[in-house]
Amino acid sequence: MEKIKSKDYLQVTFSKRRNGLFKKASELCTLCGAETAIVLYSPAGKAFSFGHPCVESTMDKFLATASLIEIGKSSLGVHSFPDYHRNIGINKLNRHINELVNQLEAEKKYGESFTQMEMANKDQFLWNKPIKNLEFHELEQLRVSMEELKIKMVNRTEGLKRASMLSSSIDINQVGRTEDEGVQ
Amino acid sequence: MEKIKSKDYLQVTFSKRRNGLFKKASELCTLCGAETAIVLYSPAGKAFSFGHPCVESTMDKFLATASLIEIGKSSLGVHSFPDYHRNIGINKLNRHINELVNQLEAEKKYGESFTQMEMANKDQFLWNKPIKNLEFHELEQLRVSMEELKIKMVNRTEGLKRASMLSSSIDINQVGRTEDEGVQ
DNA sequence: CACGCTATTTTTAGTAA
DNA sequence: TTTACTAAAAATAGCGT
């Protein structure tokens, strides 16, 4: 099976097979209640997408758990391209993946508390005033607030560093995790 | 076509059809040289992915252009589910998309400078020492450093707020863009 | 690009391992 | 979760509109 050379046939084939692929995906969704996200770029550079319940939610879920891992770093390019369905080495990778998932979940928590800190903090007004204009007791309050933030940030960056160091040694194109995270 | 009830058959069917889907995708890639990203969550919550040249690059490309739009918000659920292949309303959406793309590019910049600030700042040692142990001039330096960070953070949260407000008014499940962005 | 048509190839359900 | 087998169902190429 090779790349089609005739531009006309290429377009027609792409169009047909795209519909076929999306139909298969939709059948899989209805039949199994699976969550899906598909992104497709035509040879002309046009984007098509399909998702259930929607592209973004599924992608987000994926990015939230597997994200920092450079999944498929050299993945389906060239050498392993025809081997998408093989089942070798998956088990070997599960340890790494689980580590990463835990890593990332911890990371996510920091991220959430961090965001809350940014947005909804009761000391928000302190952060929005020029420091020059603050009274001394306000300054002290801000200092405490900043120190809290500092801790969260340090933890967060440490988490990121650890996660990225871990992930840099992994190279996969298909990942199955074993437990957790019920659908919905 | 309905959701399979028997758990055993559901698993088998999912496994088979997942392979079918990935095979179709890989054929589409070789035949047409298309870029692809597929993410699948099994009914058990297990993640599978396929991508060419890799999941991340294709996703990134997609997210960079269409991202914060809640693509397929009500997408393939119920009403529009069988209409995955329709091609209506694309032009109407392009304006929104362009707005969002600009929004996101600005947003991305803030995010990057913010991350740099966190991680690679030359004052990093200040952030890693207990505040109690800092000399006065170091404290002053840290204060400046924090004030800079504060500005970035405020900008960042403002950007996020604006972007999410914009995106909440859009609702599509398939997007074709008309110009730009040649493949590769 | 989308659609109809049809011979041919491919995929799938159902079953069992 | 995967594989093997087979009859039945579906997708596709190649053609034309």
Side-chain angles (χ1 to χ4, degrees):
Chain A
M1 189 170 257
E2 279 301 315
K3 179 167 180 177
I4 299 171
K5 293 182 179 179
S6 162
K7 285 212 169 190
D8 292 334
Y9 289 134
L10 192 82
Q11 279 298 335
V12 174
T13 299
F14 178 80
S15 184
K16 283 185 177 182
R17 279 180 176 265
R18 170 170 46 80
N19 284 325
L21 188 73
F22 285 177
K23 186 175 181 182
K24 290 288 181 196
S26 79
E27 289 176 352
L28 190 49
C29 291
T30 43
L31 243 45
C32 305
E35 290 181 64
T36 320
I38 301 182
V39 177
L40 214 49
Y41 279 89
S42 76
K46 198 168 169 176
F48 297 87
S49 65
F50 172 93
H52 179 81
C54 69
V55 178
E56 281 235 322
S57 70
T58 310
M59 272 195 176
D60 285 348
K61 192 170 177 175
F62 182 76
L63 293 171
T65 55
S67 175
L68 288 186
I69 317 162
E70 292 183 36
I71 283 187
K73 201 175 187 179
S74 72
S75 82
L76 298 169
V78 196
H79 58 291
S80 59
F81 185 65
D83 295 332
Y84 59 86
H85 55 295
R86 77 180 160 186
N87 193 26
I88 306 166
I90 297 299
N91 290 328
K92 279 192 286 180
L93 289 166
N94 273 331
R95 286 183 170 280
H96 290 286
I97 306 241
N98 282 329
E99 283 184 74
L100 282 162
V101 170
N102 293 334
Q103 199 64 52
L104 285 161
E105 268 159 17
E107 182 47 34
K108 206 180 161 190
K109 276 181 199 163
Y110 284 129
E112 278 163 6
S113 61
F114 181 72
T115 304
Q116 285 172 0
M117 186 84 194
E118 280 182 64
M119 307 276 298
N121 198 289
K122 65 186 187 307
D123 297 330
Q124 199 181 59
F125 72 97
L126 290 172
W127 292 80
N128 288 316
K129 282 171 80 173
I131 285 185
K132 285 177 188 172
N133 302 343
L134 293 179
E135 304 296 328
F136 180 75
H137 70 278
E138 289 177 318
L139 245 177
E140 174 60 17
Q141 219 175 319
L142 180 60
R143 192 192 63 73
V144 173
S145 186
M146 281 180 162
E147 192 152 14
E148 284 173 22
L149 174 61
K150 191 198 94 173
I151 292 163
K152 288 179 196 295
M153 285 178 68
V154 170
N155 287 333
R156 185 159 175 259
T157 53
E158 287 307 311
L160 284 170
K161 270 188 278 186
R162 266 179 288 132
S164 66
M165 281 168 67
L166 244 178
S167 69
S168 63
S169 62
I170 300 190
D171 179 36
I172 46 177
N173 61 60
Q174 184 180 324
V175 180
R177 278 195 348 298
T178 325
E179 23 40 58
D180 68 81
E181 205 170 71
V183 190
Q184 313 308 348
Chain B
M1 189 169 256
E2 280 299 315
K3 179 166 180 177
I4 298 172
K5 293 182 179 178
S6 162
K7 287 213 169 190
D8 291 335
Y9 289 135
L10 193 81
Q11 280 297 336
V12 175
T13 299
F14 178 81
S15 182
K16 284 183 176 180
R17 280 181 175 264
R18 169 169 49 78
N19 284 325
L21 189 73
F22 285 177
K23 185 174 182 183
K24 289 289 182 196
S26 81
E27 289 177 352
L28 190 49
C29 290
T30 41
L31 244 43
C32 305
E35 289 181 64
T36 320
I38 301 182
V39 177
L40 259 186
Y41 279 91
S42 76
K46 199 166 168 177
F48 297 87
S49 64
F50 172 93
H52 179 80
C54 70
V55 179
E56 283 231 323
S57 70
T58 311
M59 270 195 176
D60 285 349
K61 192 170 177 175
F62 183 76
L63 292 170
T65 55
S67 179
L68 282 187
I69 315 163
E70 293 183 37
I71 284 186
K73 199 178 188 179
S74 71
S75 84
L76 298 170
V78 197
H79 58 291
S80 59
F81 187 65
D83 295 332
Y84 55 84
H85 56 294
R86 77 182 158 185
N87 195 25
I88 305 167
I90 297 303
N91 290 329
K92 279 192 287 182
L93 290 167
N94 274 332
R95 284 182 173 282
H96 291 286
I97 296 191
N98 283 330
E99 283 184 74
L100 283 160
V101 170
N102 294 333
Q103 199 65 49
L104 284 160
E105 270 160 15
E107 181 48 35
K108 205 179 162 191
K109 277 181 198 162
Y110 284 128
E112 278 165 5
S113 61
F114 179 73
T115 303
Q116 285 173 358
M117 185 84 194
E118 279 182 66
M119 306 278 296
N121 197 290
K122 65 186 187 307
D123 297 331
Q124 199 181 58
F125 72 95
L126 289 174
W127 292 80
N128 288 317
K129 281 172 82 175
I131 285 186
K132 286 178 187 173
N133 302 343
L134 294 180
E135 304 296 327
F136 179 75
H137 70 278
E138 290 177 317
L139 247 178
E140 174 59 18
Q141 220 175 316
L142 181 59
R143 191 191 63 73
V144 173
S145 187
M146 280 181 162
E147 193 153 14
E148 284 172 22
L149 174 60
K150 191 197 93 175
I151 292 162
K152 288 178 195 297
M153 284 176 68
V154 171
N155 287 335
R156 184 159 174 258
T157 53
E158 287 307 311
L160 284 171
K161 270 187 278 187
R162 266 178 290 131
S164 65
M165 283 167 66
L166 241 179
S167 69
S168 63
S169 61
I170 300 189
D171 179 36
I172 47 178
N173 62 61
Q174 184 180 326
V175 179
R177 277 185 359 291
T178 324
E179 21 42 58
D180 69 84
E181 205 171 71
V183 189
Q184 311 309 348

